[in-house]
Amino acid sequence: MRVLIGADTWAPDVNGASYAARRLAAGLAGRGHDVHVVAPARGLRSRPARKVGPLTEHRVRSFPVPKPPEFRLCTPVALRLTARRLLTRVRPDVVHVQSHMILGRVLLSAAQTWASPRWRPRT
């Protein structure tokens, strides 16, 4: 099964949500699933997908926030289009949103539209 996990916080962030998302992704990959994670990039530009162990990371552009200084947020402006493109490229069977902040909400909204029979491209 191909799983796409949307995480507003991901390694190298040090917090409970990041650790929980990493354990979930590693556990699913360990059971033979194809796991993709979409998370904020550490810079102002999106990065191409890359394999990190058994996972595939998709990093999308993000901006720093004042506090905590290491935390980053994705803006919804270009994120909607990025999420749609990512869903079309990855074609997940399941979309899991680890947190309901900006990235998670936009990904969930795009997944609902993408899964609709009217929108989903034929293969």
Side-chain angles (χ1 to χ4, degrees):
M1 183 181 321
R2 186 170 296 136
V3 180
L4 177 63
I5 298 175
D8 283 282
T9 179
W10 185 255
D13 295 341
V14 177
N15 59 52
S18 173
Y19 286 152
R22 288 171 59 193
R23 283 192 306 271
L24 173 64
L28 289 169
R31 287 170 177 77
H33 298 291
D34 180 16
V35 180
H36 294 254
V37 177
V38 58
R42 302 311 292 173
L44 299 176
R45 293 186 178 198
S46 295
R47 292 192 339 222
R50 69 183 185 123
K51 283 295 261 183
V52 179
L55 311 175
T56 304
E57 274 189 4
H58 304 268
R59 295 291 189 141
V60 295
R61 76 184 198 150
S62 65
F63 298 90
V65 295
K67 291 192 179 193
E70 66 279 349
F71 195 75
R72 302 187 67 85
L73 286 177
C74 300
T75 59
V77 177
L79 190 56
R80 294 185 207 306
L81 180 60
T82 301
R84 287 187 198 124
R85 286 180 179 164
L86 185 61
L87 287 163
T88 301
R89 191 174 336 123
V90 174
R91 301 189 62 75
D93 298 308
V94 175
V95 175
H96 171 77
V97 176
Q98 188 64 24
S99 59
H100 293 279
M101 293 174 57
I102 297 169
L103 179 93
R105 286 181 185 267
V106 170
L107 183 62
L108 190 58
S109 174
Q112 288 171 331
T113 304
W114 180 77
S116 149
R118 294 181 318 213
W119 189 86
R120 193 173 213 171
R122 296 178 193 249
T123 55

